Each structure stands twice: as C-alpha cells, then as structure tokens.
Amino acid sequence: MMHFLLLFSRQGKLRLQKWFLPLPERERKKIVKDMTTMVLSRKPRTCNFLHWKDLKIVYKRYASLYFCCALENKDNELLALEILHRYVELLDKYFGSVCELDIIFNFEKAYFILDEFLMGGEIQETSKQSIAKSVEASDMLQETMEEYMSKPAF
Amino acid sequence: MSDVVEKTLTALPGLFDSQTGAAKITNRLRQLIKSITELTSKHEEENLIKQELSAMKEQVSSPNTTMKQMREIMVRAMYCEMLGYDASFTYIHAIKLAQQGGLLEKRVGYLAVSLFLNEGHELLLLLVNTVLKDLQSTNLIEACMALTVVAQVFPKDMIPAVLPLVEDKLSHPKEIIRRKAVLALYKFYLIAPNQVQHIHAKFRKALCDKDPGVMTSSLHIYLQLIRESPDSYKDMTGSFVTILKQVVGGKLPLDFNYHSVPAPWLQIQLLRILSLLGKEDQSTSELMYEVLDESLRRAEMNHNITYAILYECVKAVYTIHPKAELLEKAARCIGNFVLSPKINLKYLGLKALTYVVQHDAKLALQHQMTIIECLDHSDFTIKRETLELLFRITNAQNVTVIVEKMLDFLRICNDEHTIIHLVGKVAELAEKFAPDNSWFIQTMNDVFSIGGDLLQQDVPNNFLRLLAEGSESKEEDDQLRLYAVDSYLTVLKGHTSHLPQCFLQVMSWVLGEYAHLQESVDQREVIRLLTQLLDQRSVSSETRVWILSALTKISEGQTDLILDLAESLSSSQDTVLRQQAQELRHLSQDSQLHEWALPRGAPWDGIEVDSSLSFLDGFVSEALAAGAAPYKPPHQRQEELCEDRALNLEPYGFSLPVSLSSCSITDRQSPTLLSVSSGLSGNSTELSQKAGSSTLILEGVKRVWGKDGYLPQKEATAPPVDEPSAAVQPPSQQEAAERIEPRPDPSTQNQDKQQLASSLFVGLGVGSSMSLLGKSEAPPLRFRKKPRPHESSSSSSGTSERSSDSSSRSSRNTTDSFLYSSLLEEEPAASISAFDHTPKSTTANGLAQNKDTKEDRRANTSQILGGDMVIVRPSTIQDKHPPSVSSDLTALLPADLKDLPHSDVISLTSDPSLSLSSCRLFRDEALLLVIFISNCTETVIKDVAVQLTCEELKTVSLRGSVGSVHSLSLGHCPQQTSSVRPLVVTTEEYGKLWLSLSHDVKQNLKLLTDAGDPLRTTLNALKDALQLHVVDIIGSEGIVACRLLSGAPCLLHCRVNGTALAMWLRSPHPALPDCILYHCQRALAHH
C-alpha cells in the first residue's frame, strides 16, 4: 500500500501531496523536507529506489518534476515506478502534453485525476480510458452546470 | 515520458492567453502563483501569503461571498497550505462548500476536506450528514465524490454511520460506484476489521463481478484476508488460478493492457495471493504450477512492467511447495535481473536473490562476481541491498569478511534507521558465528561505538547475558570475560568523551562483574578509571548509576578511595545516585555485608527469585500492626479514585501496574535492574526472570574448522580490511577459484575480486569445502543460544512482552499441574515437579490486564510452544472408557476442578487402542484445557507420550505404544470467547464503572423476536454463548457485564430499538468492545 505521493520541482517546491495514511501536520512537513533533500541529492545513474525508515521510496523525474512515493516493505518497487508512469500518462492525456506549469496552475485537476486512479493507497482503476472518462464526465457536467444551473439528467 | 516538454517560466504569459477558456485558471489564483514565482526571497513570499490569507479571511466571513467565489478561495487556500502556510480558518468553509454548493463547488469542497482534514479531525463530524445525503443521491458524480471522501478521511468511529449505505452500493448498476464501494470497504477493513466482518459474502460477489475493474479492486481485500488466514481461503485457489489464466491469456479488454502487457497490476495481485495460498501446502501448490509456468513464459518483453511481474513470479515459485522444473526457470529469470545493465533491475535482482538464498544458498554462488561489483557500487541503496544479501549467506567461514564489509558501510553511513537495522544484524552474526573471543569482543566494541545509543536495547542485553551466563566450560567463559575486561580497560584509558552511553554502561557492568578476574591489573586502577567517567559531563545520570553499581561491586578492600566518592555523591541532586552512594558507603564499611549482598562469582542459576516477596511478610505485618493502610492493587486504587470525584481530574487511562518484584535480590546479577529508576523495570525484570529460569543457555562447542583452512586467529586482532583475501588460506581459495569460471586474461583487479569472492562465498552450496571434507552441514556454532519462546527483537514493547511472558508462564503452570493431577495422581514425574505450580498466578494475570484479546490468545498459544514438550509416563492408564461414553468423562475430573463451568467434551481422535478427548474448563483466572486419554482395549498400555507440538494450539498429536501417530485438529479450541468471564457487579457498581471507562462502541444488533420477551431472550442467548453476566433488565433496557481473564472489564448497555437491539459497549481496553461486539453478532447470527 502506498503511504504518500509527492510531486515537487527540481528546486524542491512542492507541487502536489497526497497522504494515504493520517499523519500530523508537523510530521508531514518533515517528510516533505526529508524527501526533497534525499531525492534531489541523488546522483545521476543511481537507481530510483531509496530506503527511508521502514519504508521504501520510489521516485522518478519527468522533465522538471519529481514524482515520489513511499511503499511498504512487501510492495514491488518496479511496479510502483510504473504506477507513477501511468499517472503521468493520465495527466498527459488530460492536459495534452503535460508540463509542470499545467500542474502548478491546475493542481486541483491533478488531484481529481489522482483520486480516480488511486484510492486508499491502492490502484483503483488501471484502464486509462475509464479514468479519463470519469474525470471528463465530471468536467462536462460542470460545464453544463455552469450554463444551466440545473440538475443534470442522469 | 518523451513528449513532456519542459516549458520555462518565460513562456508564462503566452500560456495564460492560450489556456484561459479550457483550463479555467481563476484570476486570483493565477495572480498569486505568478507573483510568487517572481519573488526572490522566502521573506517576500511569507509577506505575500500573509496578505493573501488575511484577504481571504475577510472574504470568507463576508455574507456576500457567493459559492462560486468560495470555490475559488478554497483553491487558493489549498495552494497556500501546500506551500506550508496555515489556512485552517478555511476548513469549516470547505465543509460548508461540500454541503451547500452545487456539483462544481461540492467537488472542490470535498477535495479541500480530504486535503485539509486528517482522520480524527473534529470538524469531520460535521461532514457525516453531507456524505450520507450524497451517498443516497441519484447523481452518479455526487455518489462518487462521497465514496472517495469516505475512503480518504473517515475515521474508525464514523464508519458505522455510512457502512450500510456503502454496503448497498456493492450492488449498484454502475461499475464505477461498485468499484469505489469495494475500495472504501477495503479501507474500512484495514482500520476496523470487525465492523465489516459480516459482509465477507458480498466480497465474493465482487470477485465474480462482470466488470474487471471491480474484480481487481476486490483482490485488495482478498490479499489482506488471505495474508491473515490463508487456510480459510484455500477453496478459492481454483478461482484465482482461472482468473490469472484468463488474464495471462489476454482475455481482458485491450483497454486494460499496459504497454501491451495484459493487466499487470491484476496479475501481480493474483501472484501474491497464490503464493500465500500455496505456501507449505503441496496440494494447493500443484494447482498453480501450470499458470506460474505460463506467466514466466509469457513475460518476455523487455519492459519494466514485465520485470515487475517476473519478480513476483519468482517469489511465488520460491514460496510455494517447490517444483524442480519451475525453480530452475525462476533461477534463470533471476540471472536476467542481476546481469541487467539497468540499475533498477539489478536492485530488484539483488532483492530476489536475498529472498531466494534462504531456500537455496547455491544461487548466490552463480552470481558472485555481480554481487561483489554491487558491493562496491557508488549507489548506497544498491550497497545496502547487497549487504542484506550477504547477511543471508553468512556462515562460520565468511563471517569475518562479511562483518567487516558491513562495518565499513556503517562507518560512512549517516542514516539512523539504516544504522540501527544493520548494527543489529552485525551483532546477530557476531554472536552466531564468531570465530574467536577477541574477534567477538572487538566486533561488539565496534557495534556499540557505531550503533551508539540508537541501538535496540536487546543488543547490549543479549551481549551481557551471553557474558554472564557463560557456557559449560568455565575456563572458556573466563577467557572471554578476560578479553572483554582487557579490551575495555584499553578503551577507557583512551578518550572516552565521545563514547555512547550504552557502550559505557556495558563496559562498567563488565568491569564491575569481572575486573577481579584480571589479576595483573590493580583494582585501584579500575576504580580510578570508572571514577573518572563519573566526573565527565557527557555521562548521563542513568550511566552514572551503572558506573556506581560497578564500583559497589569492586569496592571491596578499597575503603579509602570509595569513601571519598560516596561522600561527594551523597549530596547529588539525583535521588537514585544519592541512594546508591549511601549503599556504597555502608557496604564498603562492612565487608561481611558486602560479601553477603554481592557475592563474587556467584553462579547464575543459583539465584532464586521470590516474586511473591514473602521475605517482606514480617515487615508488612509489623507495619500493619502499627496502623499502616493495607496494600491495594492499582486497579482497586483507581476505582476508589473514581468514587472520589473531586480528585478525579484526569481522563481514565488504564494504568499499567509495574511489578517491582524481585529487584532487590537480583540486584547484583542483572545490571539492567539498576535502571529501575528510569521506569523500565518491566523489561529488566523479564531479563532476570529468564536468567533465573534457564539453566543452560550457551553451548561452548569447540571450533574445529582448522582442517578446511580457515584459521584467522593469527591476525585476528588486526581485522582484514584492505585485502580480505589475506585472511583466507590457500586451500579454500583454490576451491573457490575452481568454482569460478576461469576468465580469459584475468587482470589483477579481477583477481582481487575473485579472492574476495572466494572469501565471501566460502561454505555455500554443495561444491563447498565443507561437504567435500565430509563434515556435517552446519558448522558448530560458538555462541549458540537456547531458543526461547519470546525472543522478541523490539525492546520498546518491553512491558507487554513481559506480561505475555509471565502470563504464558502462569498458564503453563496450570496446564502442567492439570496434566499432573488428572493423569498422574500416584506418580509425580520428575520432569513435571520441576515446574513450580503455585496456584498464585494472580500477579501474572494482573499484568496482562491491558492486552487485547488477540494478544491474550497469542500468549495462550505460545505458552504451549514455549513449554517444550511435557512427556508424561504413567505406568498404567487409569481411564478405560470407550469414547462413546465421553460425557461421563467429566466425572473423572479432579475434585477441585469438578465444580467449574466447562464446555462439552469433544472427542478429538481415536484409534482401536486409544482415544483422546478434550474439554475446556473456565476457571476465574485461567482457561484450562483438559485432555482425556482413554484406553479402549483390555491390555495395559505403557509409555503413552502426549505431544502438544501445536502451532497456535490447533493440533495435538498422540503417540501410543502401538506406534501410530495421530495429528489432529483441536478444532475451535482457543477461542477468544473462552477467555471471557462473567463480571458480577451490582447495578450501582455498574453505573460507577461505566462512567470511568473510556473506549466505547455502539452498534445495532439483531433482536431475537421468536419468544415473548425479546430483550430477555436475546440477552440470555448472549449470556449462554459468551459467559456474560446480566446485571439488570429495566423495561426496554438491559445492562450486562463481563471481563477478560486478565481482568479488563467490558460493560454492555442494550436497549430495544424497534426490531433492533442498540448495543453500547464500554471498556478500558480499546479493542475489547469491538471484539465482544463481533462475538455477540456471531452468537446472534448462529442462534
């Protein structure tokens, strides 16, 4: 089960955070700090995995953005790497050639997509199409809502 | 991601123009983000955010703010929180937005709630109604949002409110809703397993769902369930195999493919489930060989995801019952990983190897050169994983090299967790495989100085116990102790200010105990060194206590030095130090008393611990006669405190009674006891008890591997650092070289590596020198410890460990005494009388009070494991009843057990000559398991051995002289409910107790309506099933009380509410209400 997922920039600025287990605010801040320093200080040509406390950190850099998640010991690191990749694919499909700025300015959208993809730290839906469909359905609905301010006909 | 284009900030303005319509960047947010990116200092950012937040504060409290504006504010608040600023004033508005907004606002509101509010945040209560409304909404999106937020933030106590609605969603026509509902239930299962116990059948339906997404989600739950009890799901193996076959065969819609691999996440989930099911179970494993083979074959594509699947496959193949053909294929796969140039795959390969070498150490040999390369890898993660692998293949021959590598790594490592983890492993290896004394002491010195105060407490504890308990040969023990004393004196003569406290404590204890062994050293010198330590500022007060007690032990005859010291310390601020200084003064003045209190070199097993403190009886009676108040146990004191309302200002936690028994006597022997003042006596008394009861811990078997050429003793004091191969003598090197394929033109560097390899991988596999010389496989170990039942690695749980330990002892006693009383009345066997079966197990039970029932069960079961085997050898078998009249068997119970309530006698097994039945007796403070053995023949049977070799007390085997062995299941023997006892209280007492209890759970239960008075019928049914005490029934309400064996009470308040029974449970123990509730549910369901 995934414990948390963080997105941060090369400068260590947090872009998105998702916590799948309840943690106090102070702890969260410390983790974010630890993660950014640990991951950013990794040299090139090292593997994408790290040990941190009793968890395993899996991270990957996409352009200027680092995707970083924490797994339990029994989880499969390689698979987690592909979860990150699938998330990037989903963002890409939604924004159309996604870049860091898309996520900065539309971070709530990034959260909505994540909520359709992961739930409670586990994969919820692996089909790219159906995730895109459900996110878009909500979006479409919002458009009509704004226009007509009426209950959608479902 | 090749098509991700990194857009620079200079492209910002253009981006805004082009995206306004579609992406909906709200103006204010855009401005905020833009101005933040333009700022140069942190200070400016803080100011800006402060302004922004105060503007937002004003806006949210203004009545004119529309929902749409509120939504926009909420997004900005999320942004501020992400930057690390506090926007908690918006939390309540987030809830309001979710409650009152239209769909668009609701979505943002829910998102804000799930980001802002943790499980357990008090504002969440305000969300319940909104969520309930949305769950019932016919709008798909509203329902989706509600399910998402439920799975994200709902805490345990709010689950019952939404559970029925979420449950209903399992049969919703839309698959997305079903999927989300399944995952929400999975989350519920993780945080409160008891509450979803009743919907297991529905999970099965989800598994058979026509939508693959729903089915995949249900696998999360099944993986969890199967991990907890694989046996209950064996029957589903076939279904899982079929699903995996279909997936691997590409039967799922193409949409589920990921990089042309069919549903990889689903595959991996299934592989994990299968490996759990097939573990140690041949027949189940056989069902899955085919599909595993297929998976291994199909995963050929060179992509990360196929490697992820392969890795799980390999693990599964090595976990289930082995099949040679598959193992071979899996081993080849590992080769692909390890030899891959991709570093991530190499890492996973090392991990797979680490897992696999536990089953087959030879595999490490095949990859030795790769392993050595990884050992020198620049990446810390790879290095650490390699050390983990080496740890698994350590044996007596390669231990020095491997430990050296680990210590090298530790010296440059600065991550606390890694250090703790690895240092513990080094200590373990050193203890297990140490080739000689000086190496062992040297390595442990490194462990203590590197690990320092981060070390788990059991590392120093184990080390000291090892020194103290010794082996059979006194000479060898003394040699080891001498080494330690010499080594520590050298250390203390150098700089000591940087040494960790834990090392100082170890040293002072050893010097205190054994400095006298070293005759060439003046005791005054030792005293001087220790006194010096006391003067250092960096030494903590706990360490001072250790040092002082060491000084007390060696002070004999050195009155002059000691008196000064005692004088200077007797004005210390620290009361414990002051007390010790006083003791020191008295003892040093009275050598007779000193000799009596602290006998030098007294044997360990000679200590008798009088845990009942009977030697104080005289003192107590005197005090009582003089008018002192009688002693009250802590729980009684607490109850009285409850009555006295005025004093009761604190919430009622369940206090942990700390037993201080036995500390005064073992003072000398157990150094940890001196830290009683630090409040950790639970742990240390455990140590002394163990020490007191075990007679033989060490087996100092002489090391005899000189023949195969590994004799590092010569340069033992100088550890082989640069050239580890120097420590290896030619013969083994040659053999290793033969095993390694000769490479064309081996460079000198290669040779170095090969030498390292030969020293690392010596002693592995069939080709190793050990078996060539025709020796036994396992080399004799130097410091072998007797396995103990509760060797737990964590010391943090010291107190609970102790309580489980002592409760297991007590129940072992009762079991033993029972076996004795029912079978051996005329012949007390020596092996049994060795256990003291005092009926006073009350202290132990008192200690177990605040453990939940699960742990109780663990304690109950492990006692059997810990109790080794009780072999009973009656000369004749008394009972000659055929199994059919088993009901009469209870008449044979010993007189003192006859009146106890008991379960039905269950016939366990029988063969033509013997039959075995059992019955449970509920004593107030214990659960007794009675086993009846009956001889069904006319002949006299001799030598009946009853062996309780059970894991979890589920099976028992019976071996008779007839030669047949029966293993059979005890069935539902140690049920949780067996440890529930009625609690007899009056209504008034109940009321008082009710108010003092903190943990409560409420739930509606089924009411039995088949008889006239539904409440009474239901309560009576529960009473019969669970041994509860019905305190009172008033109108439509009833109060019921029970307690655990260990004493923790649980009060139940029941009220008839229409056709349901509203049950409200309270207990001091957090998990007990849930547990009792679950059993009530079951009892009513079975009715």
Side-chain angles (χ1 to χ4, degrees), chain B residues 871-919:
Chain B
I871 295 179
V872 185
R873 292 183 190 285
S875 55
T876 54
I877 302 284
Q878 311 157 357
D879 312 331
K880 290 194 177 179
H881 296 266
S884 55
V885 286
S886 61
S887 55
D888 290 359
L889 283 172
T890 48
L892 293 166
L893 286 171
D896 53 333
L897 299 178
K898 237 173 206 156
D899 298 331
L900 294 173
H902 60 83
S903 71
D904 295 336
V905 177
I906 305 155
S907 172
L908 296 171
T909 186
S910 61
D911 72 352
S913 52
L914 286 175
S915 84
L916 194 62
S917 6
S918 86
C919 131

Side-chain angles (χ1 to χ4, degrees), chain A residues 131-142 144 154, chain B residues 141:
Chain A
I131 296 176
K133 227 165 57 194
S134 57
V135 174
E136 269 159 23
S138 322
D139 279 0
M140 289 287 282
L141 206 67
Q142 290 187 356
T144 40
F154 245 94
Chain B
I141 291 169

Side-chain angles (χ1 to χ4, degrees), chain B residues 478-549:
Chain B
D478 281 349
Q479 236 172 6
L480 179 64
R481 291 166 188 161
L482 264 180
Y483 266 118
V485 169
D486 282 346
S487 153
Y488 294 160
L489 286 176
T490 326
V491 172
L492 285 183
K493 276 174 193 155
H495 275 289
T496 50
S497 53
H498 65 282
L499 292 176
Q501 303 299 317
C502 133
F503 194 17
L504 290 177
Q505 292 168 3
V506 167
M507 284 197 285
S508 48
W509 186 83
V510 171
L511 288 179
E513 286 288 323
Y514 303 116
H516 65 89
L517 291 175
Q518 182 56 284
E519 278 143 9
S520 62
V521 175
D522 186 6
Q523 297 296 304
R524 296 179 76 87
E525 173 72 6
V526 181
I527 295 181
R528 197 183 57 77
L529 284 171
L530 286 174
T531 328
Q532 243 172 29
L533 281 183
L534 276 180
D535 294 335
Q536 268 176 29
R537 197 173 292 177
S538 58
V539 173
S540 75
S541 61
E542 195 190 338
T543 311
R544 278 169 212 272
V545 175
W546 286 71
I547 298 171
L548 210 49
S549 67

Side-chain angles (χ1 to χ4, degrees), chain A residues 23 47 74 82 125 127 142, chain B residues 104 118 179 227 255 379:
Chain A
L23 285 173
C47 65
K74 54 181 189 286
E82 296 311 301
E125 177 60 76
S127 153
Q142 290 187 356
Chain B
L104 196 52
N118 250 326
R179 197 176 66 212
R227 192 171 281 143
D255 189 32
D379 188 345

Side-chain angles (χ1 to χ4, degrees), chain B residues 350-351 353-355 357-358 361 364-365 367-376 382-409 422 425-426 429 432-433 724 756-762 764:
Chain B
L350 286 172
K351 246 185 83 168
L353 263 185
T354 311
Y355 185 78
V357 288
Q358 298 172 54
L365 283 177
H367 302 293
Q368 34 186 322
M369 290 322 279
T370 321
I371 294 173
I372 284 166
E373 269 160 31
C374 291
L375 201 55
D376 292 327
I382 299 277
K383 238 179 171 166
R384 189 185 146 168
E385 210 54 46
T386 316
L387 289 176
E388 201 82 19
L389 169 61
L390 289 181
F391 169 74
R392 302 272 184 196
I393 58 166
T394 308
N395 57 32
Q397 284 140 299
N398 57 19
V399 64
T400 46
V401 188
I402 288 180
V403 164
E404 195 50 43
K405 285 279 166 200
M406 289 170 112
L407 288 174
D408 281 348
F409 178 83
L422 273 182
K425 295 203 156 157
V426 172
L429 290 180
K432 248 194 203 156
F433 300 114
L756 178 58
S758 62
S759 52
L760 278 178
F761 300 99
V762 64
L764 288 180

Side-chain angles (χ1 to χ4, degrees), chain A residues 15 23 28 42 47-49 56 74 76-77 82 86 89 106 122-123 125 127 139 141-142, chain B residues 23 82 103-104 107 118 141 179 186 220 227 255 258-259 304 312 344 347 351 379 381 385:
Chain A
R15 295 302 180 208
L23 285 173
R28 287 183 179 187
R42 293 280 287 173
C47 65
N48 296 49
F49 316 123
K56 289 182 305 194
K74 54 181 189 286
N76 186 330
E77 290 95 333
E82 296 311 301
R86 175 46 58 112
E89 281 181 359
N106 299 289
E122 300 280 2
I123 287 263
E125 177 60 76
S127 153
D139 279 0
L141 206 67
Q142 290 187 356
Chain B
M82 185 155 68
L103 258 191
L104 196 52
R107 195 178 182 203
N118 250 326
I141 291 169
R179 197 176 66 212
Y186 166 66
H220 294 304
R227 192 171 281 143
D255 189 32
Y258 176 82
H259 293 258
N304 268 350
E312 294 294 335
N344 284 345
Y347 168 87
K351 246 185 83 168
D379 188 345
T381 315
E385 210 54 46

